[in-house]
């Protein structure tokens, strides 16, 4: 089994910054893509950013130039640096990872429990 544990959410003023972390643990053979999604109240869960196992990032248009995704493969951890935060960035942020466990020939998608990010003055 695999667990994803997020940290780093909180309350920040508009224009501020936060850094989210997500650490994967368990019977991990290989982690493929890792990413962040967010869900605001009454809305669907949307992709924020994803990073391949080789380090290539992809961003939603709404966060390009403000957010940076990175990963530490040795620590099985993915980060999301969020700068110039706006009230519309307020949401629960979820970590996502495509993880291949020992004994399996393919990866499976895992989710973290979510961390609240609130941007408000």
């Amino acid at each position: 089994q695999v667990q994803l544990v997020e940290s780093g959410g909180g309350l920040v003023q508009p224009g501020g910054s936060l850094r989210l972390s997500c650490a994967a643990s368990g019977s991990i053979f290989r982690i493929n893509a890792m990413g962040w999604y967010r869900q605001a109240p009454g809305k669907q869960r949307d992709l924020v950013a994803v990073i391949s196992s080789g380090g290539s990032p992809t961003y939603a248009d709404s966060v390009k130039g403000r957010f940076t995704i990175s990963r530490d493969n040795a620590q099985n951890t993915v980060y999301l640096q969020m700068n110039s935060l706006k009230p519309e960035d307020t949401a629960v942020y979820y970590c996502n990872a495509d993880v291949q466990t020992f004994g399996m020939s393919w990866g499976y998608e895992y989710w973290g429990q979510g961390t609240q990010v609130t941007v408000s003055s």
Side-chain angles (χ1 to χ4, degrees):
Q1 191 58 280
V2 174
Q3 298 81 39
L4 301 181
V5 178
E6 299 126 334
S7 61
L11 173 64
V12 63
Q13 292 186 343
S17 298
L18 281 175
R19 189 191 195 209
L20 305 183
S21 301
C22 172
S25 62
S27 182
I28 298 170
F29 173 66
R30 177 169 52 219
I31 301 180
N32 300 312
M34 303 184 81
W36 292 93
Y37 289 71
R38 66 187 181 186
Q39 187 168 20
K43 296 189 176 181
Q44 66 181 20
R45 188 176 298 187
D46 291 325
L47 174 69
V48 175
V50 63
I51 186 167
S52 69
S53 57
S56 296
T58 300
Y59 298 97
D61 288 343
S62 60
V63 307
K64 283 181 181 177
R66 300 189 297 122
F67 291 10
T68 301
I69 189 170
S70 60
R71 63 189 286 173
D72 182 337
N73 290 332
Q75 298 295 324
N76 291 334
T77 299
V78 62
Y79 305 96
L80 186 68
Q81 178 66 43
M82 305 184 293
N83 299 329
S84 302
L85 282 160
K86 304 175 182 180
E88 51 263 45
D89 294 318
T90 296
V92 178
Y93 284 69
Y94 296 91
C95 176
N96 173 274
D98 180 1
V99 182
Q100 184 177 350
T101 55
F102 288 102
M104 296 296 289
S105 299
W106 57 87
Y108 184 81
E109 191 175 44
Y110 292 88
W111 292 90
Q113 79 285 358
T115 185
Q116 177 70 46
V117 172
T118 302
V119 184
S120 176
S121 55

